[in-house]
Amino acid sequence: MSRYSYVYMLEAVRHPARHYVGLTDDLAARLVLHNQGSVPSSAPFRPWRIKTVVAFTDRLRASEFERYLKTASGRAFASVSGM
């Protein structure tokens, strides 16, 4: 069985223009933490829903993609591609 790392984009349920990008190995558990308010940077806009997930078998590549999505060009890519 392969182990995956996930780059995910969340969308705030009550503020759909608000997004959060993160990296995790356990997507379900991480979403619970976001919705409990345990992640300080996402707590003010909870609840969250998953908008996009990309699975990687290489954690380094996943980390690089997450960092890219947090740049201006990465945010532009995400909005144009419908992420």
Side-chain angles (χ1 to χ4, degrees), residues 9-20 45 48 51:
M9 181 179 289
L10 302 180
E11 177 180 72
V13 172
R14 290 187 290 258
H15 307 277
R18 285 277 180 190
H19 296 97
Y20 179 92
F45 302 102
W48 294 92
K51 183 171 182 187

Side-chain angles (χ1 to χ4, degrees), residues 6 9 13-14 16 23 28-29 31 33 36-38 41-42 45 52 58-59 64 67-71 73 81 83:
Y6 303 96
M9 181 179 289
V13 172
R14 290 187 290 258
L23 170 66
L31 181 61
L33 291 175
Q36 285 176 340
S38 299
S41 58
S42 67
F45 302 102
T52 304
D58 182 329
R59 183 146 176 98
E64 290 168 349
R67 277 194 308 272
Y68 166 69
L69 288 178
K70 290 180 175 182
T71 67
S73 61
S81 67
M83 286 185 80

